[in-house]
Amino acid sequence: MTAPSPVTPSAKPSPQPAIILIDPQLGENIGMVARAMLNCGLTDLRLVRPRDGWPSESANAASSGALEKGVIVRVYDTTQDAVADCQVIMATTARPREMIKTVHTPRAAIAAIRDDITARGLTCGVLFGAERSGLQNEDVAIADAVITVPLNPDFTSLNLAQAVLLVGYEWISAQTTTPDTVFTTGTTDIASKETVLGLVGRLESTLDAHHFFRSPEMKPSIARNLVNLFTRMRMTDQEASTFHGIISALSGAKTALSARAAAKRGGNSGN
Amino acid sequence: MTAPSPVTPSAKPSPQPAIILIDPQLGENIGMVARAMLNCGLTDLRLVRPRDGWPSESANAASSGALEKGVIVRVYDTTQDAVADCQVIMATTARPREMIKTVHTPRAAIAAIRDDITARGLTCGVLFGAERSGLQNEDVAIADAVITVPLNPDFTSLNLAQAVLLVGYEWISAQTTTPDTVFTTGTTDIASKETVLGLVGRLESTLDAHHFFRSPEMKPSIARNLVNLFTRMRMTDQEASTFHGIISALSGAKTALSARAAAKRGGNSGN
């Protein structure tokens, strides 16, 4: 039943943990695991005794193309065979076990695996048990540590692909160079202070011309509040232009209205 | 179509972000979202225009009981209605958009939401779009920030429940008091240094009696290596006892074998 590897290990894109499913049942679940793996850049999938055999049509259908686009599957008869080349194994389990073992959150586990892989060049794998029953104690025993996802203790049932997704998500989050937070501005740039203060200055003088400030004393504090608000917007050059247009339109509209009203009054008095 | 809330907001277990699905299609997906939510301790689910109506038999079936065990669903006609009480909204989107907006990873987004909820008491919600099309630009525009999951750029298709799971996982991970790594020892405790050094000392003297050390010079470095190895095991009291038994059995067995061999020799010579 053990299939030869379709590629040499060196064909793998970069060192990464293997995902090892022990006694998986539905092909559909294996496919969803493959999809979650490729979402997270993982491609080394190992199956121990897949109940419905391999390859699997239902797995292909559920993988959304992940099985064609990069995930490499190898099938083994025993857990021992599947982990033979690994130097570090982690086992996922939701149930508390009376075992003497280090228990990591997925984040801590991936931090450890990442250090082992990048700093030591070790070969690492993560074990996942069957859908309903989880891992047998014999499989957990060979693991260097256990991974338990911190979930709502009253409702912990994760499906197989979701458990793989959380481990994979921690992996790709630890690999990624994406900043935690970035301010995107499309094709326009964040406005300079000169632009922002120029806009607020124009707004202030236009308001002044329209008798917005009832007393001269309130002007400095209102002006300061406006600088605060406009600074907090973190506006772009484009948005500053839009705002200049708004000021023109509103003040122009008022002028136009006043002009029309004056013309009307003029018309009334003149005609 | 807007259903009254089945419970008052104060019945919620603790302040948490609402999960808001815009135009969800399959009831099954809504059920899987509810399951992922309750896994992560989230119970405030809001649906805007669920295509197949609500309540939904297929949602109940797919929720694995989450819809009976705590997730509260409210249905709205518009996004505006669904977010009316929220002071902070985040929008999940995989596609890069030409929008001027802060983009967070799920971790950074949850850190921000958590601060808003716990430090400011703000009401927060997270928007998720329809299965295929995602959120409309109009819905993204009302969000204070966007959440984008850092995934394999060549394979980013997450299903709805998986996207909710990742946000929920960050939420519960930020809430949990579970240590990142803990060493579980069941009913036995980690052995004291006295126990470990006593065990190694006995092993050393037993080995000495069995002529393990070929020369007296090598003894100190081997002894030090053994202390290192036994310390690294981080053994428990129970395991130290087991090891004492192993030393007794092996050294006793050798003695017994020697005794039997001697007896055999004695028998041969004597009979």
Side-chain angles (χ1 to χ4, degrees):
Chain A
M1 191 165 170
T2 302
S5 166
V7 293
T8 57
S10 64
K12 274 192 270 179
S14 62
Q16 51 169 250
I19 299 297
I20 306 165
L21 308 184
I22 318 288
D23 293 315
Q25 300 183 4
L26 295 172
E28 188 189 354
N29 288 338
I30 300 172
M32 287 167 69
V33 164
R35 178 181 172 182
M37 285 176 63
L38 197 56
N39 280 150
C40 303
L42 297 174
T43 57
D44 182 354
L45 175 58
R46 307 180 184 190
L47 309 177
V48 177
R49 296 178 299 265
R51 187 191 65 185
D52 298 342
W54 195 262
S56 154
E57 268 309 307
S58 57
N60 283 340
S63 82
S64 294
L67 287 168
E68 289 101 58
K69 287 178 192 165
V71 174
I72 291 154
V73 179
R74 283 175 281 190
V75 181
Y76 299 88
D77 288 328
T78 66
T79 304
Q80 282 78 351
D81 289 343
V83 303
D85 63 323
C86 295
Q87 291 150 302
V88 177
I89 285 291
M90 303 251 181
T92 53
T93 167
R95 291 177 294 167
R97 291 169 190 266
E98 288 297 302
M99 218 176 261
I100 300 156
K101 194 74 89 179
T102 297
V103 180
H104 290 303
T105 61
R107 194 161 304 165
I110 285 299
I113 287 174
R114 191 186 178 217
D115 288 348
D116 280 342
I117 288 179
T118 59
R120 294 292 319 276
L122 301 185
T123 300
C124 302
V126 183
L127 303 183
F128 294 82
E131 284 89 337
R132 299 273 168 216
S133 51
L135 287 170
Q136 303 295 309
N137 283 337
E138 290 67 30
D139 291 328
V140 177
I142 64 163
D144 297 271
V146 157
I147 303 176
T148 297
V149 184
L151 292 175
N152 175 359
D154 299 327
F155 197 79
T156 57
S157 76
L158 271 187
N159 74 33
L160 190 54
Q162 284 173 317
V164 170
L165 177 69
L166 292 181
V167 170
Y169 166 72
E170 289 292 354
W171 172 255
I172 198 165
S173 292
Q175 299 295 109
T176 186
T177 53
T178 308
D180 285 344
T181 298
V182 66
F183 184 64
T184 63
T185 55
T187 53
T188 175
D189 208 356
I190 294 170
S192 68
K193 292 300 177 192
E194 183 182 30
T195 301
V196 175
L197 295 176
L199 174 65
V200 180
R202 187 187 156 208
L203 177 61
E204 197 186 324
S205 58
T206 309
L207 288 172
D208 213 1
H210 284 70
H211 315 295
F212 176 79
F213 303 105
R214 294 192 192 161
S215 69
E217 306 87 65
M218 62 193 290
K219 208 174 138 182
S221 75
I222 292 181
R224 196 169 52 243
N225 288 347
L226 287 174
V227 171
N228 240 324
L229 176 64
F230 276 80
T231 299
R232 207 184 319 133
M233 282 185 203
R234 214 183 182 195
M235 63 186 0
T236 63
D237 288 325
Q238 197 179 65
E239 290 166 334
S241 294
T242 303
F243 238 99
H244 273 290
I246 289 171
I247 296 170
S248 299
L250 291 181
S251 59
K254 194 174 179 188
T255 308
L257 271 176
S258 310
R260 216 173 301 144
K264 203 180 171 193
R265 278 197 301 278
N268 283 345
S269 64
N271 281 340
Chain B
M1 191 165 170
T2 302
S5 166
V7 293
T8 57
S10 65
K12 274 192 268 177
S14 62
Q16 51 169 251
I19 299 297
I20 305 164
L21 309 184
I22 317 289
D23 293 314
Q25 301 184 2
L26 295 171
E28 188 189 354
N29 288 339
I30 300 172
M32 287 167 70
V33 164
R35 178 181 173 181
M37 284 175 63
L38 197 57
N39 281 149
C40 303
L42 297 174
T43 57
D44 182 353
L45 175 57
R46 308 179 183 190
L47 309 177
V48 177
R49 296 179 299 267
R51 188 192 65 186
D52 298 343
W54 195 262
S56 155
E57 267 309 308
S58 58
N60 283 340
S63 82
S64 295
L67 287 168
E68 289 102 58
K69 288 178 190 163
V71 174
I72 291 153
V73 179
R74 284 174 283 190
V75 180
Y76 300 88
D77 288 328
T78 67
T79 304
Q80 281 78 350
D81 290 343
V83 303
D85 62 323
C86 295
Q87 291 150 302
V88 177
I89 286 291
M90 302 252 182
T92 54
T93 166
R95 292 176 295 165
R97 290 169 192 265
E98 287 297 302
M99 219 175 264
I100 299 156
K101 194 73 90 179
T102 296
V103 180
H104 291 303
T105 62
R107 193 162 306 164
I110 285 298
I113 287 175
R114 192 187 177 216
D115 288 348
D116 280 341
I117 289 179
T118 59
R120 293 292 319 277
L122 300 185
T123 300
C124 301
V126 183
L127 303 183
F128 295 81
E131 285 89 337
R132 299 274 167 216
S133 50
L135 287 171
Q136 302 295 308
N137 283 338
E138 290 67 31
D139 293 326
V140 177
I142 65 162
D144 297 271
V146 157
I147 303 176
T148 297
V149 184
L151 292 175
N152 175 0
D154 298 328
F155 197 79
T156 56
S157 75
L158 272 186
N159 74 33
L160 191 53
Q162 284 174 317
V164 171
L165 177 70
L166 293 181
V167 169
Y169 166 72
E170 289 292 354
W171 171 255
I172 198 165
S173 292
Q175 298 296 109
T176 187
T177 54
T178 308
D180 285 346
T181 297
V182 65
F183 185 63
T184 63
T185 55
T187 53
T188 176
D189 208 356
I190 294 170
S192 68
K193 291 301 177 192
E194 184 182 27
T195 301
V196 175
L197 296 176
L199 174 67
V200 180
R202 186 185 159 209
L203 177 61
E204 197 185 322
S205 59
T206 310
L207 288 172
D208 213 1
H210 284 70
H211 315 295
F212 176 78
F213 303 104
R214 297 201 188 151
S215 68
E217 308 87 66
M218 62 194 293
K219 209 174 139 184
S221 76
I222 291 180
R224 196 169 53 244
N225 288 347
L226 287 175
V227 171
N228 241 325
L229 177 62
F230 276 79
T231 299
R232 208 182 320 131
M233 282 184 202
R234 216 181 179 197
M235 62 183 3
T236 63
D237 289 325
Q238 198 180 66
E239 289 166 334
S241 295
T242 302
F243 238 100
H244 272 292
I246 289 171
I247 295 171
S248 298
L250 290 182
S251 57
K254 192 168 179 192
T255 308
L257 271 175
S258 309
R260 214 174 303 144
K264 199 175 172 197
R265 280 198 301 277
N268 283 342
S269 63
N271 279 343

